[in-house]
Amino acid sequence: MHIFRQAATIAARIIVVAFAFFAATSLAWAQSTTPDPAAFERIITSQITAFRADEGTKAFAHASPSIRRQFGTADNFMAMVKQGYPQVYRPRSFKFGKITTEMSGRPTQRVHVIDAGGQSWTALYAFEQQPDATWRIAGVVIVRAADLSA
């Protein structure tokens, strides 16, 4: 009987330790995948600042690995941004909105942008968390502000 009590005590301790480990790792995972508004704002501001200064390497550093593979070099990336995204390449101003998951379920930072000509736009920045827990920009869609409620 004594052996069964010891076995039960050991099994109970293992269950408690396993539960505690599971709870701790679940909490850490949930915290690490929670969008970080301050981080998103820093990343976007840094990238736009790099665009304004024509610092392609700095701007390209904020792109996700898939975007980096797609364009290969900072020069290719900058050429695409100049051509396809003039609103964020040289904005007159920008202001951060809410975070959603509207870009394929990814954390998406809405940014209200006024372009060089005074036109109002909404830029949707999709983010992807990296294995080291940092965030990178995984895509951007820009629409006229009147076409999308901000």
Side-chain angles (χ1 to χ4, degrees), residues 14 43 47 55 79 101 109 113-114 121 135:
I14 289 172
I43 292 164
Q47 189 176 61
E55 295 175 335
T101 57
Q109 173 70 62
V113 178
I114 304 296
W121 303 86
W135 292 94

Side-chain angles (χ1 to χ4, degrees), residues 55 125 143 147:
E55 295 175 335
Y125 280 80
V143 295
D147 295 340

Side-chain angles (χ1 to χ4, degrees), residues 36-48:
D36 181 355
F40 291 179
E41 290 180 17
R42 274 192 312 275
I43 292 164
I44 293 167
T45 299
S46 178
Q47 189 176 61
I48 290 174

Side-chain angles (χ1 to χ4, degrees), residues 8 20 27 30 37 42 44 47 54 58 67 80 91 93 97 114 128 131 141:
L27 180 60
R42 274 192 312 275
I44 293 167
Q47 189 176 61
D54 286 320
K58 287 182 181 179
I67 298 294
M80 177 277 299
S93 66
I114 304 296
E128 176 182 278
V141 172

Side-chain angles (χ1 to χ4, degrees), residues 66-148:
S66 61
I67 298 294
R68 294 174 64 82
R69 279 190 300 276
Q70 182 180 353
F71 291 98
T73 68
D75 289 339
N76 291 340
F77 178 72
M78 288 295 282
M80 177 277 299
V81 172
K82 285 178 192 178
Q83 180 65 33
Y85 296 86
Q87 301 89 342
V88 295
Y89 179 66
R90 292 289 194 269
R92 180 182 295 175
S93 66
F94 60 97
K95 182 174 86 172
F96 295 99
K98 65 182 180 176
I99 294 175
T100 68
T101 57
E102 62 199 293
M103 298 268 292
S104 303
R106 292 181 178 189
T108 304
Q109 173 70 62
R110 285 177 165 235
V111 182
H112 180 72
V113 178
I114 304 296
D115 70 15
Q119 177 68 44
S120 184
W121 303 86
T122 299
L124 304 171
Y125 280 80
F127 279 85
E128 176 182 278
Q129 192 170 38
Q130 305 306 300
D132 66 357
T134 60
W135 292 94
R136 297 284 184 263
I137 299 168
V140 178
V141 172
I142 299 178
V143 295
R144 288 190 185 270
D147 295 340
L148 182 68

